[in-house]
């Protein structure tokens, strides 16, 4: 390991971050750009927010890409588009995700089914398709990294959004399997599992009556900042972290500990 490992540099690397228009994805885009990467800022439909992320990035060579990942064909087009326009792909961060309430005791069956379909399509099938296509490209180029953004809910349970918990547990298992399958090809796969993070996704919970109880789940008395999750993503994607492949790193302020 040289100085670049300590400094976590990504010069001459192309990093695709899904869901980088807001929240954790935007924070990761900023950090990767300040570490020298050229960032592919992906978003679904909030173009203004994606352009705002783009404008905030240090360095040059960044670009925005739109794709609704709930449709699996869009994932294929996204990777192809990024590789063509950015001339390569070194790091994929599977960050885009959705969280929808669908309590088993209250929703109609059709709503239940829709929530499962949407959630699994966005949070699990899309990362599976993107990982397939990105790793094919990375193998051709001699290696790469995939970082999946999962959730504490995969371990702790999501009683009001069971499809979300299941999608993230599936993402964890996918990351472990792909780490084993891809390491011989120089592609390393990591997972980050945050607890609550201060983003749009958690806004209504954090500003509602349960906000203080949620903050007090951590002995630090607060939830994570998006930058804290982003730093972990950067660390895992950096040179020198190869032997962590297959690992799942908790970023939850000791709110849920597992051994
Ligand atoms: P966020 O602020 O709600 O942002 C979600 C991002 O995902 C946006 O960029 C959005 O694009 C994109 N996205 C959503 N659905 C999409 C689709 N169908 N196709 C393409 N892009 C889509 O979320 P966040 O809190 O930063 O969450 C990022 C990741 O962290 C997610 O995987 C989430 O499950 C995970 N996580 C979050 C928390 C938390 O408390 N916030 C906790 C644990 C894990 P647009 O802006 O265009 O809509």
């Amino acid at each position: 390991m040289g100085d670049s490992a300590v400094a976590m540099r990504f010069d001459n690397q192309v990093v695709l971050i899904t869901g980088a228009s807001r929240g954790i994805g935007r924070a990761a885009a900023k950090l990767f750009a300040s570490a020298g990467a050229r960032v592919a800022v992906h978003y679904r439909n909030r173009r203004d927010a994606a352009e705002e992320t783009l404008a905030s990035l240090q360095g040059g060579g960044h670009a925005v890409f739109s794709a609704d990942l709930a449709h699996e064909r869009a994932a294929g087009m996204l990777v192809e588009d990024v590789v063509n326009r950015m001339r390569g792909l070194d790091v994929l961060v599977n960050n885009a995700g959705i969280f929808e309430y669908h309590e088993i005791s209250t929703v109609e069956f059709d709503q239940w089914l829709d929530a499962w379909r949407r959630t699994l399509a966005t949070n699990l099938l899309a990362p599976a398709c993107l990982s397939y296509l990105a790793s094919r490209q990375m193998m051709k180029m001699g290696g790469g990294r995939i970082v999946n953004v999962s959730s504490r809910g995969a371990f702790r349970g999501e009683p009001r959004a069971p499809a979300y918990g299941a999608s993230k547990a599936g993402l964890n298992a996918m990351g472990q399997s792909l780490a084993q399958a891809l390491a011989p090809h120089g592609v390393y796969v990591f997972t980050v599992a945050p607890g609550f993070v201060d983003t749009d996704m958690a806004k209504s919970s954090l500003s509602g009556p349960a906000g203080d109880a949620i903050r007090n789940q951590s002995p630090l008395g607060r939830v994570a900042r998006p930058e804290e999750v982003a730093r972990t993503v950067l660390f895992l994607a950096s040179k020198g972290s190869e032997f962590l492949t297959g690992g799942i790193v908790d970023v939850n302020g000791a709110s849920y500990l597992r051994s």
Side-chain angles (χ1 to χ4, degrees):
M1 275 190 266
D3 288 349
S4 61
V6 176
M8 297 203 290
R9 295 299 306 175
F10 293 87
D11 303 283
N12 303 317
Q13 292 196 31
V14 175
V15 179
L16 166 58
I17 305 171
T18 66
S21 43
R22 297 181 275 138
I24 296 167
R26 173 182 279 181
K30 287 185 185 180
L31 274 191
F32 273 111
S34 65
R38 286 190 292 127
V39 181
V41 175
H42 160 266
Y43 69 101
R44 173 183 43 183
N45 50 23
R46 300 212 189 176
R47 187 174 182 95
D48 289 357
E51 293 286 356
E52 234 177 82
T53 300
L54 185 72
S56 72
L57 302 185
Q58 278 182 32
H62 317 296
V64 293
F65 296 84
S66 159
D68 185 345
L69 297 177
H71 305 290
E72 64 250 31
R73 293 283 154 215
M77 277 150 43
L78 174 63
V79 170
E80 200 180 300
D81 203 11
V82 169
V83 171
N84 288 340
R85 277 169 61 195
M86 312 276 290
R87 302 258 157 257
L89 179 57
D90 301 284
V91 177
L92 164 66
V93 183
N94 279 315
N95 166 76
I98 56 168
F99 179 100
E100 286 181 19
Y101 290 113
H102 49 284
E103 286 186 59
I104 195 163
S105 56
T106 57
V107 294
E108 297 297 327
F109 181 71
D110 284 350
Q111 290 171 279
W112 173 261
L113 188 57
D114 283 349
W116 274 86
R117 284 202 170 120
R118 264 194 305 273
T119 305
L120 291 179
T122 310
N123 295 6
L124 183 56
L125 192 54
C129 295
L130 291 167
S131 297
Y132 175 91
L133 295 156
S135 63
R136 288 302 181 108
Q137 170 66 22
M138 291 169 184
M139 284 189 252
K140 267 196 265 168
M141 303 306 289
R145 325 254 161 164
I146 298 172
V147 184
N148 297 320
V149 182
S150 179
S151 169
R152 180 187 72 167
F155 312 110
R156 191 173 175 259
E158 291 287 357
R160 300 175 67 199
Y164 181 83
S167 71
K168 296 300 190 179
L171 190 64
N172 291 352
M174 183 189 85
Q176 292 171 324
S177 300
L178 294 188
Q180 292 179 323
L182 292 171
H185 302 279
V187 179
Y188 305 104
V189 186
F190 314 91
T191 303
V192 180
F196 271 98
V197 188
D198 190 7
T199 69
D200 289 348
M201 184 179 276
K203 200 179 238 164
S204 63
S205 306
L206 295 175
S207 59
D212 283 340
I214 291 171
R215 281 179 280 278
N216 287 326
Q217 288 173 1
S218 165
L220 281 76
R222 64 173 179 85
V223 300
R225 303 178 192 103
E227 295 73 23
E228 292 173 310
V229 182
R231 279 175 67 86
T232 309
V233 172
L234 224 77
F235 166 68
L236 291 171
S238 67
K239 250 202 171 88
S241 295
E242 294 79 11
F243 221 67
L244 275 81
T245 196
I248 303 172
V249 179
D250 294 323
V251 186
N252 69 33
S255 64
Y256 185 78
L257 298 174
R258 59 199 174 95
S259 56

